[in-house]
Amino acid sequence: LHFGEFGAAHRDSMPDYWGIAGYPISHSLTPRLFAAVGEHLGMSGAQQVFLEANGIDEFESRIAEIEGDLWLSCTAPLKHSPQDRLGVIGPEGVNAVNQLKRMGGEWSGTSTDGLGFVAACRHIEIEPSGTVLRIRGGGSAARAIAAAWSAEGGLIISEEGRRGLVSGPWDSSILESGHAAIGIDLDAAPAGGDSVPLDAGTQVSISYGDGATADEFAVIMVVAQHLEAWKMIFAPERAAELPSLSELLASL
C-alpha cells in the first residue's frame, strides 16, 4: 500500500498518535482498527496509544504527556467530561462524545455510537425503518442509539435500568408497549459483561471482551462506529477510499 498521487497532502493530515482512552481498555480492538484502516489508506507512522484513565483528571494528565497530533476513541467513563474540559460538544440530545481529535492543539469530537449501531444492525439484516427497538438504560450510548434509530424511522420502547432514557430528538419514536424485533441492554458491564434478558425477537450486546470474534454484534458495532469516525472527523476527505464494514471485519 502506498500514498500514490495524494501522498504529500494526506501525510500532512496524519496524527502522531492514535488509539483508545478509558477504563477498562485492555480488550479494545480500536488500536488494531486504526492500524488496519491506516494501512488500507497508505497512512503509516502513527504510534498506537492505550490511555488507561478512570476519570477526566487522569485523562488530562496522560494526554499532557503526549506531544503532537492525537486521534482517540473514548470509552467509559470519558464520554461526558470532554465536553466541559476540552470544549467539545456532542450531537444534540446525545451530549457526549466517543471520538476525539487533537490537531494543532485544537480539539474536536463527535459521537459515533448511534451510527455504528445502525450500520451493525443493517449488517445483520435488521433495517431500522419501522422496526421496534427495546432499549434498557439511558446513558450516552442509549441516547446516541435512540437518536440514530429514530432518525432512520425506527421505533423505540424504553426500559429503565440504572437510569431512564431522557427526552430528546427521539421522543416522537417512543412507544409505550409492543413487540420489539431487537433489544439491547446498555447497562451491561464493559469488557463482555452479561445482559439482562429483554422481551425482543433478537437481543444483541455492545459489550465484548478478550477473544471476541468478528461475528459478534459488539465487534461488528465497534468496527462500524470506527469507520464512521474516519468519515466524520478523522479523515472525511478520504471517506470514499475507506474499506467497507465487511472488509474491515474480515481483516480482524
Side-chain angles (χ1 to χ4, degrees):
L1 296 175
H2 54 82
F3 285 97
E5 61 184 302
F6 303 105
H10 291 317
R11 195 178 294 114
D12 291 342
S13 65
M14 277 186 57
D16 300 294
Y17 303 89
W18 54 31
I20 182 74
Y23 183 84
I25 57 171
S26 61
H27 66 288
S28 177
L29 294 171
T30 295
R32 287 173 58 188
L33 294 174
F34 268 122
V37 176
E39 181 181 5
H40 181 88
L41 296 179
M43 298 169 66
S44 60
Q47 296 186 48
Q48 291 189 358
V49 291
F50 284 78
L51 300 181
E52 193 167 85
N54 207 9
I56 188 63
D57 291 334
E58 187 176 5
F59 173 73
E60 287 196 307
S61 175
R62 297 293 307 276
I63 60 174
E65 299 171 354
I66 298 175
E67 295 184 3
D69 296 330
L70 175 65
W71 296 357
L72 287 173
S73 290
C74 293
T75 186
L78 298 176
K79 292 186 179 183
H80 296 93
S81 42
Q83 295 195 122
D84 297 328
R85 294 288 188 93
L86 305 178
V88 177
I89 304 302
E92 178 189 0
V94 179
N95 298 323
V97 297
N98 72 327
Q99 310 291 344
L100 285 171
K101 177 180 179 180
R102 185 182 70 188
M103 297 293 281
E106 297 294 322
W107 287 98
S108 59
T110 192
S111 171
T112 60
D113 279 333
L115 294 173
F117 179 81
V118 166
C121 285
R122 286 183 168 139
H123 184 81
I124 64 170
E125 301 184 344
I126 295 177
E127 178 61 38
S129 181
T131 300
V132 179
L133 167 67
R134 188 182 298 275
I135 295 178
R136 180 175 184 265
S140 60
R143 297 193 302 274
I145 289 170
W149 196 257
S150 174
E152 294 292 333
L155 303 169
I156 299 163
I157 298 173
S158 173
E159 285 196 7
E160 188 166 352
R162 289 195 299 269
R163 63 193 124 173
L165 185 65
V166 298
S167 178
W170 47 83
D171 286 352
S172 63
S173 301
I174 296 292
L175 302 177
E176 291 301 319
S177 61
H179 171 71
I182 182 171
I184 184 164
D185 174 18
L186 292 164
D187 284 344
D194 292 333
S195 297
V196 169
L198 299 176
D199 182 12
T202 298
Q203 182 161 347
V204 297
S205 173
I206 62 171
S207 180
Y208 69 94
D210 292 326
T213 59
D215 60 350
E216 293 182 34
F217 184 88
V219 172
I220 298 168
M221 178 172 158
V222 77
V223 173
Q225 70 180 22
H226 187 74
L227 284 170
E228 293 296 333
W230 280 81
K231 295 174 189 176
M232 294 173 70
I233 67 167
F234 294 144
E237 73 282 359
R238 303 197 68 184
E241 303 170 63
L242 290 169
S244 68
L245 175 55
S246 294
E247 287 172 336
L248 192 49
L249 283 166
S251 76
L252 297 178

